[in-house]
Amino acid sequence: MNLITTATAQGLLFGIMALGIFITYRILDLPDMTAEGSFPLGAAVCARLIVTGVHPIIATLIAFFVGALAGSITGFLITKAKIPGLLAGILTMTALYSINLRIMNRANLSLLGKEKITDLFESFSLPNQFDTIFMALILVAFMIVSLFLFFKTEFGQAIIATGDNEKMARSLGISTDQTKILGLMLSNGIIAGAGALIAQDNGYADISMGIGTIVIGLASVIIGEVIFGNLTFVNRLICVVLGAIIYRLIIMFVLLVGLQPNDLKLISAFILAVFLALPSLRQRFNLNFFTKERV
Amino acid sequence: MTQKNVLILKDISKTFYPGTFNQNNVLNELNLTVKKGDFITIIGGNGSGKSTLLNSIAGTFLVDKGSIKINEKEIKKLKEEQRATLIGRVFQDPLMGTAPRMTVSENLSIAYRRGQKRTLKKGSSSEERQYFETLLKKLDLGLEKRLMSEMGLLSGGQRQAIALLMATMKKPELLLLDEHTAALDPKTASVVLELTRKRIEEEELTALMITHNMQDALNYGNRLIMLDKGKVVLDLSGKDKQDLTVSEVLNLFQKSTMNQLINDESSLD
Ligand SMILES: Nc1ncnc2c1ncn2[C@@H]1O[C@H](COP(=O)(O)OP(=O)(O)OP(=O)(O)O)[C@@H](O)[C@H]1O
Ligand SMILES: [Mg+2]
């Protein structure tokens, strides 16, 4: 039981990160590697600020904005320097590794004994881990509602149109450079914010915590899509978060049956590969145990 | 009656891959003046530069030389999305003109804001949707019931009809149609073509339409131009155009594109 609550709490926090991935991969249709750098960037910025004595909420917000800044650099490389999207993300991600080390001044920055955002819920005296779940639920709900509302605005619709049909978008007067840059900023801001939250939940920021961000985020998106199928926009957002929780539960399960934490990246990649292959496997063998997905 | 010039192209040239082995001079100091209310059909062999001409006007790329004026305003340095304030387009590929994952209503809402700055205001309203419904009803294709359907679920013809609506609902100064019925079956093509004529008349639009169908080129519009090697080699309007027959056009066509015709014959039916 305790393990399940831990997995759920982590799943919710990683769900926020996966919402960021969803924006680039699914809405903008732009596989963005920046995530691997902006996630630990958010953690590093937040941890450094908290250690310096900044209030955890403000530290988390600043992490969001710094992440958005990182996204804008990738956006700039793609739209103005005309560097292919994948490569642009890799460039920013690589540069961020050094920057993250600079920010933390070491490979690992502990938050032991510092006030963290999760501590703010202690006054409710919820049972262990439930304070994290409670906080994460509030944040997830806030994120989903905000994203839903944002993507209903003229600008949000313009971002969706850019990802869906760029040529059409431009012919209708949408500045696709602008929409791409802003989409990347939003995505990486959210991812960095999630990095900040997870660092606080873990009690430390670590230089290597970004490795596998994309696989985890994408796995959440795909698991949600494969299991829950063709949905409206708001339900798709919810399913991304559910996908992240399911992913965490799968990871918990494979650790329970005896695999080592060192095997985690291998397992992550394996889970993602399985879920990516599922739709075509299902078609091939006519398996109908899940509803039809939407890709 | 002297009518205003909507579009003036002066000596525009476009070369792809300049200075390389693949150098391709597609437009060669082309001149064209389009009057308000003109509906011009454009014919010409494959590779004669028709699409490149429309792309140059729309700003898909910048021309190397010359001037492009719409309503007296020089636009040759403007980006495509900036020119979209003035220009509506429908492409040959039905997949090109609409966003497949968005609903019909969302597509129309985006088109309704063509050339406007996108803000954080609501991306669509219920009055708007009612207006879309009446517009779709007028198309008489039953599309008013599909307002909430994803665009990708519609047929090519339905999508092209909506693309046409999207290009014209916010009245453009200039409508550019690049073989927009070429990918449709003959029956659907003629339906969309009729809709095109209707929209152009209703909204009193100025339009350029590329076609490989000589009969359509003659039946539609008040003016016909033929392109060859990036120049306008034939320009007929009014009575001259009305009196033209398909065989005459083919003759003229043959003269100017002698060697290309053999390859093109299949598309001239
Ligand atoms: N964006 C581009 N980049 C490079 N070359 C191009 C581009 N667009 C067109 N071309 C070349 O310019 C020439 C003219 O092409 P264009 O598409 O304008 O012809 P067209 O008259 O529309 O022909 P079709 O009847 O086949 O559509 C062709 O040789 C084509 O390969
Ligand atoms: Mg063409």
Side-chain angles (χ1 to χ4, degrees):
Chain A
M1 188 60 215
N2 203 1
L3 279 174
I4 291 181
T5 47
T6 310
T8 311
Q10 292 234 321
L12 282 167
L13 292 178
F14 274 97
I16 295 176
M17 183 274 280
L19 287 173
I21 299 273
F22 179 79
I23 292 171
T24 45
Y25 275 77
R26 278 294 183 250
I27 296 182
L28 271 180
D29 195 19
L30 202 164
D32 176 33
M33 299 291 288
T34 316
E36 302 256 327
S38 55
F39 183 74
L41 172 68
V45 166
C46 180
R48 166 58 58 204
L49 287 171
I50 287 179
V51 168
T52 323
V54 175
H55 190 276
I57 290 184
I58 294 173
T60 309
L61 280 176
I62 293 177
F64 172 89
F65 287 112
V66 176
L69 191 67
S72 75
I73 291 169
T74 304
F76 180 84
L77 291 176
I78 293 173
T79 58
K80 308 294 179 209
K82 309 279 180 225
I83 296 173
L86 212 53
L87 190 53
I90 291 173
L91 291 176
T92 313
M93 170 193 95
T94 307
L96 282 175
Y97 188 87
S98 297
I99 291 176
N100 293 342
L101 273 175
R102 282 266 184 180
I103 292 170
M104 294 200 293
N105 248 334
R106 67 199 81 165
N108 187 298
L109 193 57
S110 170
L111 292 173
L112 201 69
K114 304 284 178 199
E115 194 188 22
K116 301 182 281 287
I117 202 164
T118 37
D119 300 333
L120 303 174
F121 290 84
E122 259 175 4
S123 49
F124 294 102
S125 54
L126 294 163
N128 194 23
Q129 278 299 333
F130 275 91
D131 47 357
T132 310
I133 291 186
F134 186 60
M135 174 198 75
L137 268 178
I138 292 174
L139 285 170
V140 163
F142 172 76
M143 290 305 305
I144 289 177
V145 171
S146 318
L147 287 177
F148 172 71
L149 291 176
F150 172 70
F151 280 107
K152 282 266 176 248
T153 64
E154 291 177 345
F155 199 83
Q157 290 282 305
I159 293 181
I160 294 179
T162 303
D164 208 10
N165 187 342
E166 190 176 344
K167 194 175 157 82
M168 176 212 74
R170 263 204 304 273
S171 83
L172 295 175
I174 292 170
S175 164
T176 52
D177 284 0
Q178 219 179 64
T179 47
K180 279 184 199 166
I181 293 176
L182 259 125
L184 283 164
M185 288 177 72
L186 183 62
S187 163
N188 283 289
I190 291 171
I191 292 167
L197 292 170
I198 287 162
Q200 293 175 75
D201 187 47
N202 289 342
Y204 61 85
D206 192 276
I207 188 67
S208 67
M209 69 191 279
I211 301 172
T213 305
I214 282 169
V215 171
I216 296 172
L218 206 51
S220 311
V221 172
I222 308 270
I223 290 173
E225 285 172 358
V226 169
I227 295 187
F228 301 103
N230 198 346
L231 296 167
T232 58
F233 187 75
V234 72
N235 285 330
R236 291 184 80 193
L237 296 179
I238 294 170
C239 286
V240 168
V241 178
L242 291 179
I245 296 172
I246 292 169
Y247 171 83
R248 276 291 137 191
L249 291 172
I250 297 174
I251 293 281
M252 180 199 75
F253 181 75
V254 293
L255 286 180
L256 274 183
V257 298
L259 285 162
Q260 302 292 311
N262 281 341
D263 302 329
L264 272 185
K265 301 291 178 217
L266 175 64
I267 299 164
S268 303
F270 181 73
I271 294 174
L272 177 56
V274 167
F275 273 89
L276 280 172
L278 260 185
S280 66
L281 286 180
R282 197 188 314 150
Q283 243 176 15
R284 194 121 155 232
F285 300 108
N286 221 347
L287 307 171
N288 286 320
F289 48 88
F290 295 137
T291 45
K292 206 173 141 28
E293 92 294 352
R294 154 180 181 163
V295 177
Chain B
M1 189 170 61
T2 54
Q3 278 190 310
K4 215 172 73 170
N5 292 329
V6 171
L7 173 74
I8 302 173
L9 302 177
K10 209 163 175 312
D11 294 327
I12 61 165
S13 298
K14 179 70 192 175
T15 301
F16 290 112
Y17 313 116
T20 71
F21 182 70
N22 292 319
Q23 174 159 332
N24 192 354
N25 302 51
V26 181
L27 297 181
N28 292 306
E29 306 193 328
L30 182 143
N31 288 289
L32 182 68
T33 300
V34 179
K35 287 197 166 60
K36 194 169 171 56
D38 268 352
F39 177 5
I40 303 179
T41 53
I42 304 176
I43 58 173
N46 291 122
S48 57
K50 304 179 299 295
S51 296
T52 305
L53 172 63
L54 294 204
N55 286 335
S56 301
I57 298 169
T60 310
F61 38 68
L62 301 180
V63 292
D64 307 328
K65 269 197 333 216
S67 129
I68 306 172
K69 281 186 180 159
I70 291 188
N71 293 341
E72 314 282 297
K73 189 180 167 233
E74 181 60 66
I75 60 159
K76 77 164 180 182
K77 292 233 166 68
L78 295 186
K79 285 194 207 136
E80 187 178 6
E81 64 257 25
Q82 293 168 316
R83 298 189 201 184
T85 325
L86 307 164
I87 296 171
R89 295 188 85 177
V90 184
F91 304 99
Q92 175 173 355
D93 184 353
L95 304 180
M96 217 58 118
T98 50
R101 295 282 302 271
M102 305 179 82
T103 64
V104 171
S105 167
E106 286 169 336
N107 270 277
L108 291 167
S109 286
I110 286 180
Y112 197 50
R113 290 166 178 73
R114 181 167 51 77
Q116 278 175 25
K117 204 171 152 47
R118 317 280 160 158
T119 66
L120 290 179
K121 284 202 278 263
K122 268 178 79 175
S124 75
S125 65
S126 52
E127 302 98 72
E128 213 170 292
R129 279 191 289 276
Q130 256 160 24
Y131 171 60
F132 297 159
E133 224 177 295
T134 53
L135 279 179
L136 288 171
K137 254 202 200 105
K138 273 205 268 177
L139 297 185
D140 213 14
L141 296 169
L143 286 169
E144 63 277 8
K145 291 184 226 90
R146 306 297 296 277
L147 215 49
M148 291 302 154
S149 300
E150 253 178 58
M151 203 58 148
L153 301 172
L154 304 188
S155 73
Q158 291 173 322
R159 288 180 74 163
Q160 211 60 336
I162 292 174
L164 180 69
L165 207 54
M166 287 168 65
T168 55
M169 64 194 304
K170 184 129 190 297
K171 188 178 170 179
E173 293 300 321
L174 188 63
L175 176 64
L176 303 178
L177 308 163
D178 189 349
E179 297 186 54
H180 68 305
T181 59
L184 310 176
D185 68 66
K187 192 162 159 282
T188 314
S190 66
V191 170
V192 172
L193 215 51
E194 262 316 299
L195 284 176
T196 307
R197 193 187 51 74
K198 234 172 84 186
R199 286 298 293 170
I200 291 174
E201 271 172 21
E202 276 171 10
E203 304 284 320
E204 299 176 323
L205 301 171
T206 308
L208 302 181
M209 177 173 91
I210 297 175
T211 178
H212 276 297
N213 186 314
M214 294 301 154
Q215 196 63 58
D216 290 343
L218 292 181
N219 291 352
Y220 291 90
N222 65 323
R223 186 172 162 196
L224 177 145
I225 64 175
M226 179 154 71
L227 245 58
D228 183 41
K229 302 193 190 76
K231 274 185 183 304
V232 177
V233 292
L234 181 72
D235 186 343
L236 297 172
S237 51
K239 187 144 169 43
D240 292 339
K241 172 166 183 292
Q242 277 166 28
D243 294 344
L244 211 59
T245 65
V246 170
S247 65
E248 276 173 331
V249 183
L250 281 178
N251 246 328
L252 290 163
F253 197 90
Q254 197 161 19
K255 262 188 219 145
S256 60
T257 60
M258 201 74 94
N259 36 10
Q260 287 168 28
L261 187 67
I262 300 131
N263 306 325
D264 290 348
E265 224 151 27
S266 52
S267 55
L268 296 179
D269 50 358

